[in-house]
Amino acid sequence: MKPMTLFNGDLGFTAYRCGFETNKDQPLVICLHGFPDNALSFRHQLPVLAEAGYRVIAPTLRGYEPSSQPEDNDYSVTTVAGDIIAWMDQLGEQKVHLVGHDWGAIISYAACAMAPERFLSLTTLAVPHTARFLAAVRKVPKQLIKSWYISFFQLPGIAEYMLQRNDWSLIKTLWKNWSPGFHLSDDDWQGLRQTFNSPGVKQAMLSYYRQNLSPGIMTGLKKNAASFLTTVPVSTLAITGAKDGCVDTDLYEHTFSDQDFQKGYQIERLDNAGHFCHQEEPDVINSLLLDWFRKNEQSKP
């Protein structure tokens, strides 16, 4: 994996790339990380996908480094989705395969709804169709307990303090609870810790929740631009871990429909994985990704 820099206007995004030298003119795959994570979240995917013939990049999301923190503090889902299109334009890519985990999944749904003609396929990990999330929670009320942290992150000052307290112990707890039985290596944790300690990153991470998952939005009393992006006209593979302690796997039965996903969708549930399924079961995820990419390339008109 080699570093590169992507841009959207004045904002610079560090990314990791693989396969660019050996797989010229082959399809590009963009992998988007979530919270609390960084671009190395896809370290198990990039080399394997490159070996299979793809060019692959894993960018750092807006705000997760000082160079991509906007002056207007805009972390709305639709704005961040616009970063993806800007990167594609910079690279001269008309169509790509898009993969997103956690917030990366939320952003990916929005990007594919906004510009479906730019994507060969969509794969989301650990988060179902977010425009239907609120209605699904009514049918899966146990999700309210799992989502406690979203309300907590709305508390100014308190959330900032508790998030970083005792060397980010809250984040360690979230990883433990969200992927039971999975353990980050010391090196992987130090990489995450370095990301979180960078200037402005803590505030950026919380801004995603405060701007997109405020109490008004979560209760349906307030709408934002992403609330109306219900139709995702891109062939979609949605992967969920049955042991996910963050987003209940039962939500998937209530968030997907043929009406919303007119190009088709497929749900894959991994019995032995939790929220960070691509790190817990990399071989399984890599196989699913490759099969999905090839299926959608073969079905191109």
Side-chain angles (χ1 to χ4, degrees), residues 111-130:
C112 288
M114 293 163 59
E117 72 282 358
R118 301 299 299 271
F119 300 100
L120 292 166
S121 74
L122 169 62
T123 303
T124 60
L125 309 170
V127 176
H129 186 22
T130 42

Side-chain angles (χ1 to χ4, degrees), residues 189-249:
W189 168 247
Q190 289 307 318
L192 291 176
R193 184 175 176 273
Q194 183 176 357
T195 295
F196 305 148
N197 279 326
S198 296
V201 170
K202 175 176 62 176
Q203 194 61 47
M205 292 192 297
L206 291 172
S207 293
Y208 276 83
Y209 290 92
R210 292 170 177 174
Q211 294 182 24
N212 300 289
L213 298 176
S214 67
I217 293 172
M218 290 298 289
T219 57
L221 298 176
K222 180 180 178 182
K223 300 288 186 180
N224 61 5
S227 303
F228 300 97
L229 298 177
T230 55
T231 302
V232 184
V234 176
S235 181
T236 300
L237 171 64
I239 303 174
T240 171
K243 297 180 179 179
D244 195 326
C246 175
V247 179
D248 198 285
T249 191

Side-chain angles (χ1 to χ4, degrees), residues 32-48:
L32 303 179
H33 71 87
F35 167 90
D37 211 345
N38 61 23
L40 288 173
S41 182
F42 290 94
R43 61 194 176 280
H44 301 301
Q45 280 70 52
L46 267 67
V48 174

Side-chain angles (χ1 to χ4, degrees), residues 76-200:
S76 63
V77 166
T78 50
T79 296
V80 181
D83 292 335
I84 303 173
I85 305 302
W87 301 335
M88 292 170 60
D89 290 343
Q90 174 191 339
L91 296 170
E93 299 291 334
Q94 183 58 35
K95 282 195 170 189
V96 305
H97 294 288
L98 186 59
V99 180
H101 173 253
D102 190 80
W103 273 105
I106 296 172
I107 295 159
S108 294
Y109 287 120
C112 288
M114 293 163 59
E117 72 282 358
R118 301 299 299 271
F119 300 100
L120 292 166
S121 74
L122 169 62
T123 303
T124 60
L125 309 170
V127 176
H129 186 22
T130 42
R132 303 299 187 187
F133 194 87
L134 180 60
V137 170
R138 297 190 182 103
K139 298 178 181 179
V140 188
K142 58 184 175 177
Q143 178 60 43
L144 293 171
I145 298 174
K146 292 186 175 183
S147 294
W148 68 269
Y149 66 96
I150 295 177
S151 298
F152 178 72
F153 285 168
Q154 308 298 321
L155 303 175
I158 297 174
E160 281 83 349
Y161 171 74
M162 291 301 297
L163 194 65
Q164 194 169 2
R165 179 179 176 270
N166 193 22
D167 193 26
W168 305 96
S169 63
L170 176 56
I171 283 182
K172 292 179 182 178
T173 298
L174 292 178
W175 271 80
K176 179 181 178 181
N177 293 342
W178 290 359
S179 283
F182 176 66
H183 301 284
L184 280 171
S185 71
D186 289 341
D187 287 344
D188 291 337
W189 168 247
Q190 289 307 318
L192 291 176
R193 184 175 176 273
Q194 183 176 357
T195 295
F196 305 148
N197 279 326
S198 296

